[in-house]
Amino acid sequence: MTDSSLTLTVPEAAASTDIIQFKLVLGSRSEEGLEEYITRHQLVQPTVFRSFQQISWLHEKLTQAFPELVVPPLPEPPSLQRMDDQDYVERKRLQVLRFFEKLISRSVFADYDDFVHFLSNDMTPTEVGQVNRGVLSFLRFNRVMRSNTDRGFKSYKATEPVEGNDQDTFHRHQIYILMLESYFGTIAESLGQLIQTREGLADVLVTMGDVVIETTQSKYRLGEGDSEAQRKVQRGLDHKMQLFGLLMDELGFIFTRQGIEENMKFGDVMIEYKNSMDGLKTAFNVRTQKLMDYVESAKHRNKKRDKADKLKLRLGLNTPEVQATIAEEEEATQELQSSKQAFDLCQTKVKDEIQLFETQKQHDITRAIHDYVHLSLRYERSKLASLEKAVEEIRQFHPKPISLAHTLLPDDMNNDDESCSTTASSSTLEQQQHRKRRRRRGSRRKKHGPQAISSSASLPTSTPRKSKSQTALQTKTSDCESDQEERDNNNSKNNNNISSNNTRRHHSSSTAQSSSVRVSPFIRYESQSRVHISASYDERLGGAAGWLNSSSD
């Protein structure tokens, strides 16, 4: 029997060092239903506070009183090591809430004396369930023995035909229950593996975000050169990398929260229904026991009847011995009738439990899948919103580009107005800069040959600044698209650099001969001033005037 008018909610839960207290609020969908229930059972108030141990006491009482009914499974006891975890306490609150939702929906449980006592003020804190904390309880002997007897079906095949035994139907139900148990267990295990994999991905994203943000704290410059204009580009890169690192942290947090809520609202439901199979197995075993008693009574009655028939044929009906045997037969027949009634009643209850279980399962699993889908969609939208927000912020940040007017000399600008205007009209500024970098790398490879890549931690990041004539020629080469002009400019550039290269080689050789002291690659000497590579951008570029002045000479 079900009673859909009463409700028992668990709006709050609070944890201390060794216990969790749950707030239970008794309600009803109608004012009359709640008042009638309180008046009928003389409850003082509809709000009580109960610990998990007291809830365990109620579960034991109901299980002992209704062995042929499916009592909802009790959640796992709280772990003392996780009492300070708010998510864990909330998870236990939801588990207890689902437990009482199934209990209060059935009037046979709601009107039971122990349940009424549980909701009254007469309930004492000492009335707790069995706590297996003996000296050798860590070996879990009791749990293993109980699992061997209660978690399986009793196997029995009737050797005596009896009336009303629908054994084939119940055998199919047993196979169905075992399949459901495996099904729910597999879903819960697969979800746990998915959440574990996603948490691993979240850890990787968080680590990546930390590494990316650490790169922006480095004191070594990225990119080419030490010019003032490149500082804006570097700051823009740092800003974008910081946004990317924060995005990785946020995605990692979202992945972790998603796994926690999926366990609360879907994974626990699968585990609860997997454990519900134990209640069904208990009900089936009670029916099997009733069937065994019924068959034994039928055998006993048949023996008494055969004995009476033989004595009737040999001695007749009027002898005292035959009369006593007939009385024993009638007594065995009455016992058989009583066993049959008990078996029929138990079998009917088990059929009702199966039907009720199917109805509840369909409702709860549908709601759990619905919640899981909405939960997944909500978190996917959150991830997409975070990605779109980060991309939009990165796109909105554009440092001021380097103007061509600052890289060309006035004379060169007057001479090359015609060619530069043609180039600017045919391509964008980004394409010009891309071609300039590519051609600059090509000219370096032609001039110096292939170079080994050096770490920024071992070499200075500054490069010598070229002369004004070299800068004008290089800019002119990057901005003009004529292949003939490129070859002519490269030839003239190479011719102009011969004397300067010879001078540099002569100067470097003389310096090497005159100095026998090894200079650390982390220290830069410019115009008799010492500038360390670990200095900040402003110290090396803005504050170190000697560096900039010497490089511009």
Side-chain angles (χ1 to χ4, degrees), residues 20-88:
I20 298 180
Q21 288 284 345
F22 300 93
K23 180 181 179 181
L24 308 181
V25 178
L26 182 66
S28 176
R29 294 177 176 85
S30 62
E31 292 291 339
E32 295 79 7
L34 179 60
E35 292 179 0
E36 189 273 335
Y37 184 82
I38 293 178
T39 303
R40 176 156 45 96
H41 297 291
Q42 298 179 355
L43 296 178
V44 178
Q45 56 185 1
T47 302
V48 294
F49 294 87
R50 295 291 179 262
S51 65
F52 187 88
Q53 288 76 11
Q54 291 173 314
I55 298 174
S56 176
W57 173 88
L58 174 63
H59 182 266
E60 289 182 5
K61 293 296 183 180
L62 294 177
T63 303
Q64 295 172 3
F66 303 99
E68 70 279 2
L69 302 182
V70 179
V71 180
L74 186 70
E76 288 291 327
S79 175
L80 298 179
Q81 289 76 17
R82 303 183 63 182
M83 288 296 187
D84 56 347
D85 189 352
Q86 295 182 357
D87 292 330
Y88 181 75

Side-chain angles (χ1 to χ4, degrees), residues 59 63 66-73 150-151 153 177 181 272-286 350 353 357:
H59 182 266
T63 303
F66 303 99
E68 70 279 2
L69 302 182
V70 179
V71 180
D150 296 340
R151 294 183 62 87
F153 287 108
I177 290 172
E181 185 177 23
E272 288 168 8
Y273 266 91
K274 177 181 178 296
N275 295 334
S276 296
M277 301 300 111
D278 294 342
L280 281 174
K281 291 177 183 178
T282 302
F284 271 70
N285 291 338
V286 172
V350 173
E353 290 299 307
F357 172 79

Side-chain angles (χ1 to χ4, degrees), residues 246-374:
L246 294 176
L247 173 64
M248 294 297 102
D249 290 340
E250 186 172 359
L251 289 179
F253 174 76
I254 292 175
F255 278 126
T256 303
R257 292 300 309 173
Q258 182 178 1
I260 293 175
E261 290 200 34
E262 284 177 350
N263 264 331
M264 289 182 182
K265 298 182 179 180
F266 186 76
D268 287 344
V269 176
M270 298 295 105
I271 295 176
E272 288 168 8
Y273 266 91
K274 177 181 178 296
N275 295 334
S276 296
M277 301 300 111
D278 294 342
L280 281 174
K281 291 177 183 178
T282 302
F284 271 70
N285 291 338
V286 172
R287 175 199 168 271
T288 302
Q289 185 63 43
K290 296 293 183 181
L291 177 61
M292 295 170 62
D293 297 340
Y294 181 26
V295 172
E296 290 297 326
S297 298
K299 289 181 179 180
H300 181 66
R301 195 280 310 266
N302 292 338
K303 289 180 179 180
K304 295 297 182 181
R305 185 176 58 185
D306 294 341
K307 181 179 179 181
D309 291 341
K310 291 179 181 180
L311 290 177
K312 287 177 185 179
L313 293 175
R314 189 178 62 176
L315 302 176
L317 295 176
N318 298 325
T319 59
E321 187 176 356
V322 173
Q323 291 298 324
T325 306
I326 292 174
E328 292 177 358
E329 179 186 355
E330 291 177 355
E331 184 180 356
T333 302
Q334 293 177 358
E335 183 180 352
L336 176 62
Q337 291 295 329
S338 176
S339 299
K340 183 179 183 302
Q341 291 177 0
F343 172 74
D344 291 340
L345 179 61
C346 180
Q347 184 168 253
T348 302
K349 287 184 178 180
V350 173
K351 288 181 179 179
D352 294 339
E353 290 299 307
I354 294 174
Q355 186 176 0
L356 179 62
F357 172 79
E358 285 295 321
T359 303
Q360 290 181 346
K361 177 176 70 68
Q362 183 178 2
H363 175 267
D364 294 342
I365 297 302
T366 301
R367 184 177 64 177
I369 294 176
H370 184 270
D371 294 341
Y372 179 76
V373 171
H374 280 270

Side-chain angles (χ1 to χ4, degrees), residues 395-407:
R395 287 178 177 175
Q396 288 179 357
F397 187 83
H398 292 291
K400 186 176 180 181
I402 303 174
S403 176
L404 294 176
H406 296 288
T407 58

Side-chain angles (χ1 to χ4, degrees), residues 362-507:
Q362 183 178 2
H363 175 267
D364 294 342
I365 297 302
T366 301
R367 184 177 64 177
I369 294 176
H370 184 270
D371 294 341
Y372 179 76
V373 171
H374 280 270
L375 182 67
S376 300
L377 290 176
R378 177 163 61 87
Y379 274 101
E380 292 302 324
R381 292 192 189 100
S382 178
K383 297 172 191 175
L384 180 60
S386 300
L387 288 169
E388 290 177 346
K389 180 180 178 182
V391 171
E392 185 65 23
E393 290 181 355
I394 291 175
R395 287 178 177 175
Q396 288 179 357
F397 187 83
H398 292 291
K400 186 176 180 181
I402 303 174
S403 176
L404 294 176
H406 296 288
T407 58
L408 295 178
L409 295 177
D411 295 339
D412 295 332
M413 291 174 60
N414 295 330
N415 294 335
D416 298 332
D417 281 342
E418 236 178 359
S419 59
C420 292
S421 61
T422 305
T423 305
S425 61
S426 61
S427 61
T428 60
L429 181 60
E430 294 180 358
Q431 293 174 346
Q432 294 176 11
Q433 293 178 354
H434 177 68
R435 287 195 299 271
K436 183 170 71 174
R437 289 193 297 269
R438 185 173 58 186
R439 290 167 185 167
R440 184 179 298 173
R441 289 194 297 267
S443 63
R444 287 178 179 175
R445 285 194 295 268
K446 292 179 182 179
K447 181 176 179 181
H448 302 287
Q451 299 291 332
I453 299 177
S454 300
S455 171
S456 62
S458 60
L459 294 178
T461 57
S462 61
T463 56
R465 192 183 296 270
K466 295 182 177 61
S467 63
K468 294 182 179 180
S469 60
Q470 292 174 353
T471 304
L473 288 174
Q474 185 176 359
T475 307
K476 181 178 179 181
T477 302
S478 64
D479 295 335
C480 298
E481 294 186 354
S482 174
D483 296 337
Q484 185 63 33
E485 283 185 347
E486 291 178 8
R487 288 194 294 270
D488 294 339
N489 290 330
N490 288 331
N491 292 333
S492 62
K493 179 180 176 181
N494 293 331
N495 293 332
N496 292 333
N497 289 336
I498 292 175
S499 59
S500 62
N501 290 336
N502 293 332
T503 304
R504 289 193 189 96
R505 284 194 297 269
H506 178 71
H507 177 69

